[in-house]
Amino acid sequence: MATQTNSQVYQGEEKIIVAIDLGTTHTAVSFAHAYPGSQTGIRMVTRWKGQPEAAGDSKIPTIVVYEQGEMIAAGAEAREFVGDDAYEVSRWFKLHLHPDSMKISDEPPAYDSDIGASPAMEIPPLPSNVTLTEVYSDFMRYVFDGFRTFFQQTTLNGVAIWDRLCSSIIIVLTIPNGWDSRQQGFLKQTAQEAGIVQSEEDADLRIEFVTEGEASVHYVLGKVDHQTWLKKGTIFAVTDAGGSTVDSTLYVCKALEPKLELEEVCASECVQAGGVFVDREAYALLTKKLSKSKFKDKGSISDMVEKFEQRTKRIFDGSQESNVIEFGSRRDNDRKYGIIQGKITLTASEVRTAFDDIIKRSTESCLKLLRGRKVKYLILVGGFGESPFLRSRFEEEFGSQGTDIVTVEEPSKKAAAEGAVMWYSKQMVSARVARFTIGTGILVLFDPANAELWKRRHQAIIRPDGQTYLPDGFEILVAKGQLIPRNFSILTTYCTDYSKKPKHLDHFEEVLFAWEGEETTKWIADADGKLFPQIRPICTVEANLTPILAGLKKVSNRLGFKYWKTDWDIRFFYGGTKLQARLEWKVKNKACQGPIKVIPTSALK
């Protein structure tokens, strides 16, 4: 059954669009079959291998089970292997991809640490002899196979339609606001290894990325009657509180007609403070509480945390004085520590302890967006966003500032998945704000009278043009906080020079860097050539310069010596959700273009 229908009649080429929201704890898939003359309906996959036939759940656990390095189960069918020591379970593996910029010093304690211990980030280890690439590709293969089966079985003439369109399916992957081209490159690679796409070129053509925040705003505006509250100039926030991150974005409505158009107001926020960290705090709480109980073993504590997550965390609103966790059988008793017939009771204060730090980080992240701005609405979505306690704390924090907390009536765990297909179809966000500064390394003309440059004189090089240069300069292409329209591009001019006329031109490579410091920089490295800690490579662009050989010119430098040079450009496209580029040059005043390959820097350390 379609969960959302586009009222406009589709007139494009027939295609299948699938969106995969691979979350830290759960995963959901939505899709649409668009064909000329149709009103495209968006559907959720609600039947998975290993799931009870009548379950109809659109979310499956993000879990992969291995035996001696070989995958034996994933998703819904993996539940039966959890807790069996004969198998290794990979869960929360999405945390391995989070960049350092998303990790903060006050992380929740590790599963086996004391409450009073110094906070430290602990990511569940991967199974023995299994890489993160293998875990991701195994899980993505399972998810895509499940989608194919569901599509073929629930779509009229589904097998024939699939056979006709499967090689051109558009795949939309949701990512946290804090991810960039490094994580995008990793996901493209794993999709190729999973057999979902056939090559790097196929991945570039068919895989799209959308932030969870932007997917969520499309979902919300598709579910909520925005005509009653959204006017031109209205500023509102969307917070997607998920399994491992809380993504917040501030939007302003730029137009309602002929179509709804939004712009980001400022750089979005992304903090590592999702629902899994509440579970981790609960684990630490129970470990300390039962440190001398006969149920202090990790297996028993894990069973309690699982039941805590399934019920207690989801219904707790701060008012329940007694919160019962049913984890065992009637024979499980340790009255001294409050365990009676397989149940343990936590006070409201104890449960709040598991939430407090996570909610504090979530609200502080939102406050960065709202501070100094008149924001009428904050729309809260996501699995963790359904927590009554989180909602009540948001209402306390932001209600006093005149901001209304809005939620959707339907469960919003699937907001990113369903919203991602809406995003691909509607593209309501016309401009985004850069979360960090992007630039490239350049040669800086050396001036011995400049004290700053003089300190770097040992790096000086002389080019064929007779000038002396210093390496490691930084040219800004996009500044942090800059508003980037959807079709935004920037042209950067390059010059290649040679002492002798070359028979062929070099293969060109250029690294693009992200600067995450508070102030701007003129350099990517110090005087010894060591990269500054605030700067990191995000991708390399590669180009074959052979086509511009005809543009070589013989010229004289300032000393009268002859050398050869050619000028050409790279046009970078930043307006979408993935970086693209192309080569541009002129031959006898005729404009020419050529391909450029963008290779993301590895997201793995």
Side-chain angles (χ1 to χ4, degrees):
M1 180 180 294
T3 58
Q4 177 73 20
T5 301
N6 189 342
S7 59
Q8 296 181 342
V9 176
Y10 180 76
Q11 297 297 346
E13 293 183 0
E14 183 182 14
K15 66 178 65 173
I16 299 172
I17 306 151
V18 60
I20 301 174
D21 177 31
L22 198 160
T24 304
T25 57
H26 293 86
T27 293
V29 176
S30 70
F31 66 95
H33 174 214
Y35 53 92
S38 68
Q39 291 183 338
T40 307
I42 301 174
R43 303 167 60 196
M44 299 295 299
V45 177
T46 56
R47 190 185 307 153
W48 297 93
K49 185 178 179 180
Q51 188 182 64
E53 191 67 30
D57 195 351
S58 61
K59 303 283 285 191
I60 56 170
T62 307
I63 301 174
V64 189
V65 178
Y66 292 87
E67 183 179 23
Q68 297 181 350
E70 296 292 328
M71 188 196 97
I72 61 169
E77 63 179 343
R79 289 191 180 102
E80 63 182 279
F81 298 95
V82 176
D84 190 330
D85 292 339
Y87 307 97
E88 292 185 275
V89 178
S90 182
R91 65 172 78 210
W92 298 8
F93 50 85
K94 186 176 180 178
L95 299 181
H96 287 272
L97 274 185
H98 284 352
D100 291 339
S101 59
M102 284 173 56
K103 299 172 184 176
I104 53 181
S105 59
D106 58 340
E107 296 294 351
Y111 258 6
D112 55 355
S113 65
D114 293 333
I115 290 288
S118 58
M121 176 59 189
E122 181 219 354
I123 299 175
L126 297 173
S128 305
N129 302 315
V130 179
T131 66
L132 184 61
T133 301
E134 290 170 331
V135 173
Y136 257 92
S137 61
D138 286 341
F139 190 73
M140 289 180 73
R141 186 182 304 110
Y142 163 83
V143 167
F144 202 77
D145 287 347
F147 158 58
R148 180 182 63 245
T149 300
F150 186 83
F151 181 93
Q152 292 177 338
Q153 293 179 350
T154 62
T155 304
L156 189 64
N157 204 26
V159 174
I161 294 172
W162 181 273
D163 290 343
R164 185 171 67 248
L165 301 175
C166 64
S167 63
S168 60
I169 293 174
I170 300 298
I171 302 157
V172 185
L173 302 178
T174 65
I175 57 175
N177 288 359
W179 285 16
D180 55 36
S181 59
R182 295 173 300 168
Q183 288 77 22
Q184 291 180 14
F186 174 85
L187 293 176
K188 285 182 179 180
Q189 176 191 351
T190 56
Q192 185 178 344
E193 296 200 13
I196 298 173
V197 293
Q198 303 308 309
S199 63
E200 289 184 26
E201 293 74 18
D202 192 30
D204 289 338
L205 184 65
R206 296 203 286 128
I207 295 181
E208 299 286 344
F209 296 97
V210 60
T211 63
E212 293 162 0
E214 192 163 323
S216 295
V217 75
H218 281 77
Y219 173 84
V220 167
L221 295 179
K223 294 293 183 182
V224 177
D225 184 9
H226 60 267
Q227 295 179 347
T228 61
W229 61 273
L230 191 59
K231 299 177 176 61
K232 186 176 180 179
T234 300
I235 297 177
F236 67 98
V238 176
T239 294
D240 182 359
S244 65
T245 60
V246 175
D247 296 302
S248 299
T249 311
L250 202 60
Y251 294 99
V252 59
C253 177
K254 301 298 290 185
L256 293 168
E257 298 293 341
K259 71 174 219 174
L260 181 62
E261 184 178 325
L262 308 174
E263 278 187 7
E264 289 187 7
V265 175
C266 57
S268 59
E269 288 291 328
C270 181
V271 63
Q272 193 162 266
V276 297
F277 298 110
V278 176
D279 302 342
R280 182 155 290 180
E281 292 277 16
Y283 190 104
L285 168 72
L286 289 165
T287 298
K288 184 174 183 180
K289 183 181 180 73
L290 303 176
S291 60
K292 295 183 179 180
S293 167
K294 65 180 182 180
F295 293 97
K296 65 181 180 181
D297 61 283
K298 290 186 177 182
S300 296
I301 300 295
S302 295
D303 289 342
M304 295 177 196
V305 172
E306 182 178 355
K307 297 302 181 183
F308 171 87
E309 191 281 328
Q310 292 175 356
R311 178 173 171 79
T312 309
K313 183 178 77 171
R314 301 185 188 192
I315 66 172
F316 182 72
D317 61 9
S319 65
Q320 303 97 321
E321 285 303 322
S322 296
N323 300 273
V324 179
I325 301 174
E326 300 183 20
F327 71 95
S329 68
R330 296 174 63 87
R331 295 189 298 272
D332 295 324
N333 294 281
D334 195 344
R335 291 181 176 272
K336 183 178 179 180
Y337 295 96
I339 297 175
I340 302 173
Q341 295 184 350
K343 303 176 184 178
I344 183 170
T345 301
L346 300 181
T347 65
S349 176
E350 287 175 319
V351 178
R352 287 192 199 101
T353 300
F355 278 91
D356 283 344
D357 183 60
I358 314 305
I359 291 180
K360 178 183 177 183
R361 280 186 265 149
S362 302
T363 54
E364 287 178 349
S365 178
C366 291
L367 282 170
K368 290 180 183 179
L369 290 179
L370 273 61
R371 190 173 290 121
R373 298 183 175 92
K374 189 175 181 180
V375 180
K376 179 60 178 173
Y377 306 101
L378 189 154
I379 304 171
L380 185 60
V381 297
F384 186 40
E386 293 179 7
S387 161
F389 190 51
L390 177 66
R391 292 183 184 183
S392 66
R393 292 287 292 273
F394 265 53
E395 288 169 354
E396 292 174 12
E397 183 70 43
F398 302 110
S400 60
Q401 302 177 25
T403 301
D404 294 336
I405 305 301
V406 180
T407 57
V408 294
E409 293 181 4
E410 297 183 31
S412 58
K413 291 179 182 179
K414 60 182 180 180
E418 191 169 331
V421 176
M422 297 180 188
W423 166 84
Y424 182 83
S425 304
K426 297 184 178 181
Q427 297 280 329
M428 290 187 288
V429 178
S430 61
R432 302 172 180 87
V433 176
R435 298 188 72 249
F436 44 75
T437 296
I438 298 175
T440 183
I442 59 170
L443 293 176
V444 177
L445 187 64
F446 179 61
D447 178 4
N450 184 308
E452 181 183 6
L453 302 184
W454 182 252
K455 294 178 183 178
R456 296 173 178 260
R457 63 188 181 278
H458 60 284
Q459 297 178 308
I461 55 176
I462 300 176
R463 297 291 302 170
D465 65 358
Q467 302 275 25
T468 302
Y469 296 91
L470 297 174
D472 298 335
F474 185 62
E475 181 180 43
I476 294 176
L477 301 179
V478 175
K480 179 180 179 179
Q482 179 178 336
L483 187 66
I484 306 172
R486 184 183 301 151
N487 298 321
F488 175 81
S489 68
I490 186 170
L491 195 67
T492 303
T493 299
Y494 293 82
C495 174
T496 309
D497 52 13
Y498 304 89
S499 299
K500 297 180 180 179
K501 184 178 181 179
K503 295 181 180 180
H504 57 83
L505 295 188
D506 300 330
H507 174 78
F508 174 80
E509 288 189 6
E510 180 80 284
V511 177
L512 265 61
F513 296 93
W515 170 260
E516 295 180 313
E518 291 301 319
E519 299 179 358
T520 58
T521 179
K522 298 178 181 178
W523 307 93
I524 64 173
D526 60 23
D528 296 322
K530 183 179 180 182
L531 287 180
F532 292 129
Q534 302 97 323
I535 205 156
R536 58 180 173 81
I538 56 174
C539 68
T540 300
V541 293
E542 293 185 355
N544 179 4
L545 299 185
T546 300
I548 68 173
L549 184 62
L552 272 175
K553 298 177 182 178
K554 190 176 183 180
V555 294
S556 299
N557 65 22
R558 62 193 184 105
L559 300 177
F561 294 106
K562 302 294 184 181
Y563 72 101
W564 296 83
K565 65 171 287 190
T566 181
D567 298 313
W568 46 280
D569 302 315
I570 293 180
R571 186 174 295 278
F572 294 101
F573 298 90
Y574 290 101
T577 54
K578 58 184 179 182
L579 175 65
Q580 296 175 307
R582 74 177 178 221
L583 187 67
E584 297 185 359
W585 72 97
K586 287 185 177 181
V587 177
K588 296 180 180 180
N589 293 323
K590 180 182 178 182
C592 304
Q593 297 179 356
I596 285 184
K597 191 174 185 179
V598 179
I599 305 174
T601 303
S602 174
L604 306 181
K605 297 181 179 179

